[in-house]
Amino acid sequence: MDYQQVINNIYHEVKSLPVVGEVADYIPALANVDPDQFGIAIATIDGQTFGIGDYQCKFSIQSISKAFTLSMVIRHIGSQLWEYVGKEPSGTPFNSLVQLERENGIPRNPFINAGALVVTDKLMNLYTHPKEAILEFVREMAGTDDIYYDKTVAQSELKCANRNQALGYFMKSFNNIDNDVDALLDVYCHQCSISMTCEELAKSFLFLANHGINPHSQKEILSVSRSKRLNALMLTCGFYDESGEFAFRVGMPGKSGVGGGIIALIPGQLAIAVWSPRLNKYGNSYLGIETLERFTTDIGISIF
Ligand code: GLU
């Protein structure tokens, strides 16, 4: 399969679509990003990489980080986590509060903000220096040390974190958060601020495309069964209230972020990252989804 040719064709097709969507501006630092950047990168488990457009530009991975922190926590505490967070699609926006009261402070899944806060809270119980541990994990998965927090984005998000603070305090009132909420928000806003390129992102998700084994080092990161579960959650919950539509159109597990990035993968083969900051009404990259839909359609391979 000539992946370079496939993504070249898609890149040019998608780039000529009418310009729609807005960048996320509820985090002020994200509003300053040039909205018309667009990159695609593929990494295969046999070590090849392909890219086009702005695939080597760093951008804010935002909620894509939730898949990293979930992997770190699942790795240590496994199924105990499901006492504190569910595994069902929420059908609500990423920062919604509505289900939490009815469901006794247990978020629907680890990829909505409430669920990700619970996961980060557990991570803080596991590591004395959680911010360092997250960065170390991401660097190991990507196979490069050139990955950092974007302090400007982290501070900007922390200043405007009223909704996430509300989620944190509300869940704490149900005893579902162990740590101090401000300390939790600090770690969470930092994990969201991680800056990566499409190429680094594609490489860093290969362990989930490779049944839990990091193909760079051959080290087991997750068991086969836990890797399967992580992918299942990305398929059912990775795109908030657009998760069903994404599975229907694209047919790959994946995770989006409001920085405009999307990571998706085909187990046994590859990971693909797309970045385009203009978002649709669900907070997912408009061109990112267009690209991935064309990708699985053009190559005729998805997980189904
Ligand atoms: N940092 C963002 C927030 O908590 C993440 C949202 C996202 O990327 O979907 O609001």
Side-chain angles (χ1 to χ4, degrees):
M1 176 70 60
D2 186 349
Y3 287 123
Q4 189 61 55
Q5 192 57 48
V6 171
I7 58 175
N8 288 355
N9 293 345
I10 295 173
Y11 177 84
H12 293 295
E13 263 173 50
V14 167
K15 220 176 155 53
S16 63
L17 291 174
V19 176
V20 286
E22 304 294 335
V23 297
D25 56 5
Y26 74 99
I27 301 172
L30 293 184
N32 301 329
V33 170
D34 170 1
D36 296 315
Q37 295 173 94
F38 177 34
I40 309 172
I42 291 178
T44 63
I45 57 176
D46 60 8
Q48 302 181 77
T49 52
F50 308 89
I52 184 159
D54 300 311
Y55 74 103
Q56 285 173 324
C57 289
K58 299 268 190 188
F59 65 91
S60 189
I61 69 167
Q62 293 295 316
S63 279
I64 297 174
S65 67
K66 294 170 181 173
F68 291 130
T69 47
L70 180 61
S71 301
M72 291 173 76
V73 169
I74 289 277
R75 193 178 185 190
H76 290 284
I77 70 172
S79 53
Q80 271 176 43
L81 178 67
W82 311 121
E83 290 169 33
Y84 309 98
V85 59
K87 332 175 193 74
E88 291 295 339
S90 69
T92 58
F94 66 95
N95 56 4
S96 174
L97 276 148
V98 293
Q99 283 160 346
L100 274 181
E101 182 165 24
R102 266 202 316 272
E103 298 177 9
N104 303 318
I106 309 285
R108 275 285 171 100
N109 68 67
F111 292 142
I112 51 173
N113 284 8
L117 287 167
V118 169
V119 171
T120 300
D121 183 58
K122 296 292 171 232
L123 189 142
M124 290 169 73
N125 296 345
L126 291 166
Y127 294 92
T128 321
H129 300 292
K131 286 193 275 190
E132 287 78 359
I134 294 170
L135 217 43
E136 199 180 309
F137 181 82
V138 176
R139 287 172 173 171
E140 186 188 338
M141 293 311 107
T144 169
D145 285 342
D146 187 29
I147 294 173
Y148 300 93
Y149 293 118
D150 181 330
K151 296 279 175 194
T152 309
V153 171
Q155 292 312 323
S156 178
E157 183 166 356
L158 263 170
K159 274 199 198 122
C160 307
N162 297 333
R163 178 70 74 107
N164 285 329
Q165 271 164 335
L167 290 167
Y169 281 111
F170 197 55
M171 291 189 290
K172 199 164 175 71
S173 76
F174 287 98
N175 296 320
N176 199 24
I177 293 290
D178 302 326
N179 293 280
D180 173 74
V181 173
D182 287 336
L184 169 60
L185 264 286
D186 181 55
V187 178
Y188 173 77
C189 291
H190 274 84
Q191 76 177 63
C192 291
S193 82
I194 293 175
S195 250
M196 291 173 79
T197 67
C198 287
E199 187 173 8
E200 289 163 353
L201 255 188
K203 286 184 181 164
S204 68
F205 271 78
L206 282 177
F207 75 102
L208 288 173
N210 195 33
H211 308 295
I213 310 280
N214 183 348
H216 314 301
S217 61
Q218 291 304 318
K219 195 166 139 190
E220 184 184 272
I221 308 303
L222 294 176
S223 66
V224 172
S225 161
R226 286 177 180 166
S227 167
K228 172 191 77 184
R229 294 194 164 137
L230 231 124
N231 284 331
L233 285 166
M234 289 204 291
L235 183 74
T236 52
C237 311
F239 295 82
Y240 311 117
D241 38 347
E242 200 180 11
S243 297
E245 180 76 9
F246 184 85
F248 179 81
R249 285 177 63 186
V250 176
M252 288 194 276
K255 184 72 202 87
S256 63
V258 293
I262 299 182
I263 183 75
L265 55 92
I266 301 182
Q269 296 192 36
L270 56 84
I272 175 167
V274 189
W275 173 51
S276 163
R278 290 185 189 274
L279 306 180
N280 65 18
K281 66 175 179 184
Y282 301 104
N284 298 318
S285 171
Y286 177 77
L287 292 190
I289 295 182
E290 289 289 334
T291 298
L292 293 169
E293 180 174 22
R294 283 170 167 75
F295 180 70
T296 48
T297 308
D298 287 5
I299 63 173
I301 307 172
S302 68
I303 63 163
F304 299 107

